[in-house]
Amino acid sequence: MPIANDRATAPRLCIVVPCYNEEEVLPETSRRLSDKLDELTARGAVAPGSRVLFVDDGSRDRTWETVLRLHDDPRAFGSRATAPWFEGVSFAHNEGHQNALYAGLMRALELGFDCAISLDADLQDDIDAMDEMLERHAEGAEVVYGVRSNRDTDTAFKRRTAHMFYDLMAWLGVEMVSDSADYRLMGKRSLRALSQYREVNLFLRGIVPSLGFKTAEVRYARGKRFAGESKYPLGKMVSFALEGITSFSVKPIRWVTCLGVLTLVVSLVMVVYTLASAISGHVVAGWSSLMISIWFVGGLTVTSLGIVGEYIGRIYLESKGRPRYIIAEETDGLSQGDPGDGLA
């Protein structure tokens, strides 16, 4: 069902774009997003005063300078912009993708936007899917997920590990939307609910589905990165997975307990075997099993300490109560508390 051309009821939209070293891709990203907002506004799908909010996550290149240029001149990189679409926030330090995303969503809530769509700056997410997201939102969905219909642009290794991760999280009891990253629409009610989550270790892909509002899904084909390099190499992917597991499940600690019990049972068996070998005079024969037991118990102990240490580390970070991020600079529309066109 197409969105009715009614500016009185059309939502004021904020497109939140986390950025880290995205100088190469921002000119094209800004051009496409401003053209999309022009189109949506012209046919009444969104209200005047909608914005693109770039959140610079402590970039080391000229990302922030690019954002400032776009704020001052929306047509700087060849867009056909007919309104001052761009605002920006810059962190004092790199705080991570999830914190940058959260900061943008909370800024959208503070400024009175009716809904926010988050997506990465690399243009792999199909921005035309926003049309259907807004339709689903108009029909009553508070959260609309962008779900990838294919992973053709990913390597075979990344596809397999991604599916393994979703399967593992489901098995751990974490509610997630498979093949959905951070391309989603959130309405004002869900943004308010999200603002109540105070943990430092953010894992929005698990938090947002747990909010409990009515949801919908929009499928789209994921494209190739327009420019620049991926900000999620293997190391960061593993760290992200650990963040999700430790943020939403205590099952790994329970596994440690089960492994401890299993080790105790194996140890009792080895005690019986050792005594029997000693009585029969075959002490040398038990040397191999003894060494295997030592290595097994040692490896199990170190692994268990590592798992428990992950949780203790998370508790340590939470207990300090430090801010998730510090904003060093923002565009004047945000610093004045009013991006314009009647926004609160």
Side-chain angles (χ1 to χ4, degrees):
M1 181 181 72
I3 303 174
N5 189 9
D6 185 354
R7 291 179 181 270
T9 59
R12 292 175 301 203
L13 170 66
C14 181
I15 301 176
V16 177
V17 186
C19 306
Y20 179 65
N21 294 342
E22 298 289 5
E23 177 186 3
E24 294 181 55
V25 76
L26 275 189
E28 181 66 15
T29 301
S30 63
R31 185 185 66 78
R32 295 191 193 181
L33 289 178
S34 63
D35 289 348
K36 170 55 68 174
L37 276 180
D38 268 337
E39 172 199 330
L40 291 171
T41 305
R43 59 188 178 84
V46 299
S50 297
R51 289 291 187 272
V52 176
L53 175 58
F54 292 111
V55 183
D56 177 29
D57 185 21
S59 298
R60 299 177 181 176
D61 61 1
R62 296 180 60 82
T63 294
W64 182 240
E65 288 81 353
T66 304
V67 173
L68 291 176
R69 184 179 175 188
L70 285 166
H71 172 70
D72 294 334
D73 180 10
R75 299 187 181 187
F77 299 103
S79 75
R80 301 185 300 273
T82 59
W85 294 124
F86 302 108
E87 299 289 347
V89 169
S90 178
F91 285 178
H93 186 266
N94 177 244
E95 300 292 352
H97 178 270
Q98 295 292 282
N99 281 319
L101 183 56
Y102 182 86
L105 294 173
M106 292 303 99
R107 207 69 180 93
L109 177 64
E110 292 167 10
L111 292 168
F113 287 96
D114 297 308
C115 59
I117 293 178
S118 58
L119 78 163
D120 292 336
D122 56 18
L123 294 175
Q124 288 188 272
D125 298 320
D126 182 10
I127 63 173
D128 288 330
M130 291 182 188
D131 298 56
E132 191 175 350
M133 286 182 173
L134 289 164
E135 289 178 12
R136 301 289 83 78
H137 180 57
E139 293 168 359
E142 182 64 22
V143 180
V144 184
Y145 298 100
V147 179
R148 303 169 188 174
S149 59
N150 65 68
R151 284 184 171 269
D152 295 342
T153 58
D154 293 341
T155 62
F157 173 77
K158 189 170 183 179
R159 284 196 297 270
R160 285 195 295 267
T161 53
H163 288 139
M164 287 172 59
F165 172 67
Y166 284 114
D167 291 341
L168 174 62
M169 295 298 282
W171 185 70
L172 290 173
V174 181
E175 185 180 357
M176 288 181 63
V177 179
S178 184
D179 289 323
S180 173
D182 291 304
Y183 187 25
R184 67 176 77 87
L185 179 149
M186 297 184 69
K188 189 178 292 187
R189 287 185 300 156
S190 58
L191 289 173
R192 284 200 194 101
L194 180 62
S195 70
Q196 299 177 45
Y197 284 72
R198 300 299 183 184
E199 63 256 43
V200 174
N201 303 298
L202 281 174
F203 185 67
L204 294 176
R205 297 185 196 183
I207 292 176
V208 175
S210 72
L211 297 178
F213 293 98
K214 181 180 179 181
T215 65
E217 296 181 5
V218 171
R219 295 196 168 270
Y220 68 96
R222 187 165 168 83
K224 294 182 179 180
R225 184 179 179 87
F226 178 78
E229 298 179 353
S230 171
K231 304 305 182 293
Y232 268 93
L234 180 60
K236 282 195 174 182
M237 287 171 60
V238 172
S239 176
F240 185 68
L242 287 174
E243 193 79 45
I245 292 170
T246 55
S247 294
F248 279 87
S249 179
V250 296
K251 282 189 177 180
I253 288 184
R254 292 174 183 166
W255 293 343
V256 172
T257 303
C258 294
L259 285 171
V261 173
L262 178 61
T263 303
L264 178 61
V265 172
V266 173
S267 300
L268 292 174
V269 173
M270 293 307 299
V271 167
V272 174
Y273 173 74
T274 302
L275 291 175
S277 298
I279 293 171
S280 62
H282 298 94
V283 179
V284 176
W287 183 83
S288 298
S289 57
L290 178 62
M291 294 304 294
I292 292 172
S293 299
I294 291 173
W295 282 105
F296 175 75
V297 174
L300 186 61
T301 301
V302 172
T303 303
S304 300
L305 287 173
I307 293 174
V308 174
E310 285 288 334
Y311 282 92
I312 293 175
R314 299 296 190 272
I315 295 170
Y316 170 67
L317 292 173
E318 295 289 346
S319 66
K320 290 188 292 186
R322 292 180 178 176
R324 294 192 185 101
Y325 49 83
I326 295 175
I327 295 177
E329 191 177 351
E330 56 188 15
T331 51
D332 53 16
L334 299 181
S335 60
Q336 297 166 9
D338 184 0
D341 293 314
L343 284 178

